Amino acid sequence: MFLLDIFEVIKTRRSNGLVTDEAIPKEIIEQILEAGTWAPSHFRTEPWRFFVLRGEGRKKLGEVLVNIAQQKLDDPLSEGNQKKLEKIAEKPFRAPVIITVAVEPSDNPKAISKEEYGAVYSSIQNMLLAAHSLGLAGFWRTGEPTYDPLMKEFFGLSDKGDVLGFLYFGYPKRSLPEGKRKPFSEVTTWIGEE
């Protein structure tokens, strides 16, 4: 198992979409999914839902993306638009595994909707960090089609549920340069005693 110090994992993880087609063993995918379930959630609602797309499962996602895109085109049958739609259909094949992450807010009357979403965003970060620590490259893809009602329908979510992103994972073809961040001191205010 390839594990790094947590601070090293946090500082070295980068969105990296340039990956090989090499299959990822199910055991590794399961480790990533398990990491997602260890995110904090108020009242232990665990509002995350995961959908793993591999092989032809990615084709089905491409079909939904095409259906969503067609709604916005004046003439979807034109030659130019057909080429655009073909490219859209191929997007899910950029990586061998996609984990779609959704939120299904709890019926617990104490649970606050924003906090349910926050829990799932934390889950996504756990998954990205776990994948990086296991030697995978990945990126979190969103955008308008993510939140379209057809996407919600495809994944069988309730009226309250939402897709929050697509995590693309694969073995990296290249390493990325070191990242840069502002020093925490530029974005931190200390309140109280020193």
Side-chain angles (χ1 to χ4, degrees), residues 4-191:
L4 300 171
D5 170 77
I6 188 63
F7 289 102
E8 189 68 18
V9 171
I10 290 168
K11 288 180 178 181
T12 59
R13 194 211 68 78
R14 296 283 165 272
S15 292
N16 183 353
L18 193 58
V19 298
T20 70
D21 291 334
E22 182 182 346
I24 300 171
K26 185 176 181 184
E27 300 77 35
I28 290 180
I29 298 168
E30 288 173 340
Q31 286 181 283
I32 295 167
L33 294 167
E34 184 175 9
T37 68
W38 284 97
S41 66
H42 281 152
F43 309 106
R44 297 186 192 144
T45 59
E46 300 182 34
W48 37 78
R49 301 294 181 271
F50 310 128
F51 304 87
V52 180
L53 296 104
R54 301 188 295 173
E56 288 302 300
R58 297 172 297 165
K59 183 177 182 182
K60 294 175 182 177
L61 176 59
E63 291 167 1
V64 177
L65 291 169
V66 166
N67 289 338
I68 292 168
Q70 283 177 330
Q71 296 174 0
K72 296 185 171 137
L73 298 175
D74 291 331
D75 181 12
L77 298 177
S78 74
E79 186 178 334
N81 283 337
Q82 284 296 301
K83 287 182 181 179
K84 284 180 189 175
L85 294 173
E86 285 172 19
K87 284 184 179 179
I88 289 170
E90 290 299 314
K91 285 184 176 184
F93 291 90
R94 294 180 281 199
V97 174
I98 301 170
I99 300 175
T100 302
V101 184
V103 60
E104 276 291 357
S106 170
D107 290 330
N108 183 330
K110 293 181 179 180
I112 297 170
S113 181
K114 281 185 181 181
E115 292 176 353
E116 297 285 85
Y117 280 69
V120 179
Y121 291 131
S122 295
S123 175
I124 289 171
Q125 177 70 344
N126 278 7
M127 294 167 80
L128 290 167
L129 292 172
H132 177 56
S133 77
L134 294 165
L136 295 176
F139 63 98
W140 175 6
R141 181 69 70 190
T142 58
E144 279 187 46
T146 307
Y147 314 111
D148 192 275
L150 287 178
M151 196 64 74
K152 183 187 293 200
E153 181 183 319
F154 175 66
F155 288 106
L157 300 174
S158 73
D159 289 342
K160 295 189 318 181
D162 278 307
V163 173
L164 298 185
F166 305 95
L167 305 181
Y168 286 71
F169 293 118
Y171 291 100
K173 284 186 178 177
R174 65 178 172 131
S175 59
L176 295 177
E178 192 174 303
K180 294 183 179 15
R181 293 291 189 272
K182 293 179 190 176
F184 70 86
S185 59
E186 290 184 23
V187 295
T188 303
T189 301
W190 296 80
I191 299 171

